[in-house]
């Protein structure tokens, strides 16, 4: 499983600038950095599950 993180790092400022002195790029290196700390804790929705439930609900009434 990939370790991509959707929430930007606490130390990430902008492209190429990291407070820890790393070569920061949110899309690549920052995603896999061992010093990564999320800015906030976010619970992501399971979009696939929601879409399937919506489809099942519509089929039920037809």
């Amino acid at each position: 499983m990939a370790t991509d993180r959707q929430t930007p790092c606490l130390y990430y400022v902008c492209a190429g600038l990291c407070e820890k002195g790393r070569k920061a790029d949110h899309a690549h290196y920052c995603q896999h950095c061992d010093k990564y700390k999320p800015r906030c804790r976010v619970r992501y929705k399971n979009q696939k599950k929601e879409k399937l439930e919506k489809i099942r609900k519509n089929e039920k009434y037809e």
Side-chain angles (χ1 to χ4, degrees):
M1 190 88 195
T3 57
D4 286 343
R5 295 154 173 149
Q6 297 176 6
T7 310
C9 182
L10 181 67
Y11 308 112
Y12 177 78
V13 179
C14 64
L17 186 61
C18 177
E19 291 179 3
K20 291 290 183 176
R22 300 268 178 131
K23 189 175 181 181
D25 185 13
H26 178 66
H28 302 288
Y29 187 76
C30 233
Q31 293 285 313
H32 307 285
C33 179
D34 58 341
K35 296 180 181 181
Y36 173 85
K37 281 189 182 177
R39 287 188 183 172
C40 62
R41 295 284 178 184
V42 179
R43 174 134 181 143
Y44 297 103
K45 293 188 247 177
N46 188 342
Q47 294 177 352
K48 182 178 179 182
K49 184 178 178 182
E50 286 182 359
K51 286 181 184 178
L52 288 172
E53 286 176 356
K54 187 177 179 181
I55 291 168
R56 288 185 190 125
K57 184 180 176 184
N58 290 339
E59 288 177 351
K60 193 176 192 181
Y61 292 113
E62 290 178 356

